[in-house]
Coordinates of all heavy atoms in Angstrom, one line a residue:
V15 N 159.8 16.5 106.6 CA 158.4 16.8 106.9 C 157.8 17.1 105.6 O 158.3 17.9 104.8 CB 158.3 18.0 107.9 CG1 156.8 18.3 108.1 CG2 159.0 17.7 109.2
D19 N 147.9 18.9 101.3 CA 147.0 20.0 101.1 C 145.6 19.5 100.9 O 145.3 18.6 100.1 CB 147.4 20.8 99.9 CG 146.4 22.0 99.7 OD1 146.7 23.1 100.4 OD2 145.4 21.9 99.0
A28 N 134.5 25.5 103.4 CA 134.2 26.9 103.9 C 132.9 27.4 103.3 O 132.6 27.2 102.1 CB 135.4 27.8 103.5
A44 N 148.9 24.2 90.5 CA 149.6 25.2 91.3 C 150.2 24.5 92.6 O 151.4 24.8 93.0 CB 148.7 26.4 91.8
G56 N 139.2 15.8 97.0 CA 137.8 15.9 97.3 C 137.2 14.7 98.0 O 138.0 13.9 98.5
G63 N 129.4 15.0 90.2 CA 130.2 16.2 89.8 C 131.5 16.2 90.6 O 132.6 16.5 90.0
V80 N 147.5 11.7 94.9 CA 146.2 12.3 94.9 C 145.2 11.4 95.6 O 145.2 10.2 95.4 CB 145.7 12.5 93.4 CG1 144.2 13.0 93.4 CG2 146.6 13.4 92.7
L95 N 137.7 4.5 94.5 CA 138.4 3.6 93.6 C 138.0 3.9 92.1 O 138.8 3.9 91.2 CB 138.1 2.1 93.9 CG 138.8 1.6 95.1 CD1 138.2 0.2 95.5 CD2 140.3 1.4 94.8
A167 N 146.0 -3.4 110.7 CA 145.2 -3.9 109.7 C 145.7 -3.5 108.3 O 145.2 -4.0 107.3 CB 143.8 -3.3 109.8
R171 N 149.5 5.0 107.5 CA 149.8 6.0 108.5 C 148.5 6.3 109.2 O 147.4 6.0 108.7 CB 150.5 7.2 108.0 CG 149.7 8.0 107.0 CD 150.3 9.4 106.6 NE 151.7 9.3 106.3 CZ 152.7 9.9 107.1 NH1 152.4 10.5 108.2 NH2 153.9 9.8 106.7
T181 N 142.1 22.1 121.0 CA 143.2 21.9 122.0 C 144.4 22.8 121.8 O 144.4 23.7 121.0 CB 143.7 20.4 121.9 OG1 144.5 20.0 123.0 CG2 144.5 20.2 120.6
G182 N 145.4 22.6 122.7 CA 146.6 23.4 122.6 C 147.9 22.6 122.4 O 147.8 21.3 122.2
R185 N 148.7 19.3 124.7 CA 147.9 18.1 124.5 C 148.2 17.5 123.1 O 148.3 16.3 123.0 CB 146.4 18.5 124.5 CG 145.4 17.4 124.1 CD 145.3 16.3 125.2 NE 144.1 15.5 124.9 CZ 143.7 14.5 125.7 NH1 144.3 14.3 126.8 NH2 142.6 13.8 125.4
V190 N 150.4 13.1 119.9 CA 151.2 12.7 118.8 C 152.4 11.8 119.2 O 152.8 10.9 118.5 CB 151.6 13.9 118.0 CG1 152.6 13.6 116.9 CG2 150.4 14.6 117.4
N280 N 146.2 41.8 106.5 CA 147.2 41.5 107.6 C 147.5 40.0 107.7 O 148.1 39.6 108.7 CB 146.7 42.0 108.9 CG 145.5 41.4 109.4 OD1 144.7 40.9 108.6 ND2 145.2 41.3 110.7
R319 N 158.6 44.0 98.1 CA 158.4 44.9 99.1 C 157.6 46.1 98.6 O 157.8 46.5 97.4 CB 159.7 45.4 99.7 CG 159.7 46.3 100.8 CD 161.1 46.6 101.3 NE 161.7 45.4 101.8 CZ 162.7 44.7 101.2 NH1 163.1 45.2 100.0 NH2 163.2 43.6 101.7
R329 N 159.7 61.4 105.4 CA 160.3 62.0 104.3 C 161.0 60.9 103.4 O 161.0 60.9 102.2 CB 161.4 63.0 104.7 CG 160.8 64.2 105.4 CD 161.9 65.2 105.6 NE 161.4 66.3 106.4 CZ 162.1 67.4 106.8 NH1 163.4 67.5 106.4 NH2 161.6 68.4 107.5
T366 N 147.0 57.3 97.7 CA 147.4 56.5 96.5 C 148.6 57.1 95.8 O 149.0 58.3 96.1 CB 146.3 56.3 95.5 OG1 146.0 57.6 94.9 CG2 145.1 55.7 96.2
A374 N 152.8 66.3 94.5 CA 154.2 66.7 94.1 C 154.1 67.7 92.9 O 154.9 68.7 92.9 CB 154.9 65.4 93.6
L434 N 142.5 52.8 73.0 CA 143.9 53.1 73.1 C 144.8 52.2 72.2 O 146.0 52.5 72.0 CB 144.3 52.9 74.6 CG 143.8 54.0 75.6 CD1 144.2 53.6 77.0 CD2 144.3 55.3 75.2
T454 N 120.4 53.6 99.0 CA 120.3 53.4 97.5 C 121.1 54.4 96.8 O 121.4 54.2 95.6 CB 118.8 53.6 97.1 OG1 118.3 54.9 97.5 CG2 117.9 52.5 97.7
S484 N 135.2 53.1 88.2 CA 136.2 52.1 87.7 C 137.0 52.6 86.5 O 138.2 52.5 86.5 CB 135.5 50.8 87.4 OG 134.8 50.2 88.5
E486 N 137.3 55.8 85.4 CA 138.1 56.9 85.7 C 139.4 56.5 86.4 O 140.5 57.0 86.1 CB 137.4 57.9 86.6 CG 136.3 58.7 85.9 CD 135.6 59.7 86.8 OE1 135.9 59.7 88.0 OE2 134.8 60.5 86.3

Side-chain angles (χ1 to χ4, degrees):
V15 180
D19 183 84
V80 178
L95 286 166
R171 62 171 48 245
T181 196
R185 173 75 167 182
V190 171
N280 62 332
R319 183 175 298 106
R329 296 185 188 184
T366 66
L434 291 177
T454 57
S484 300
E486 286 186 352

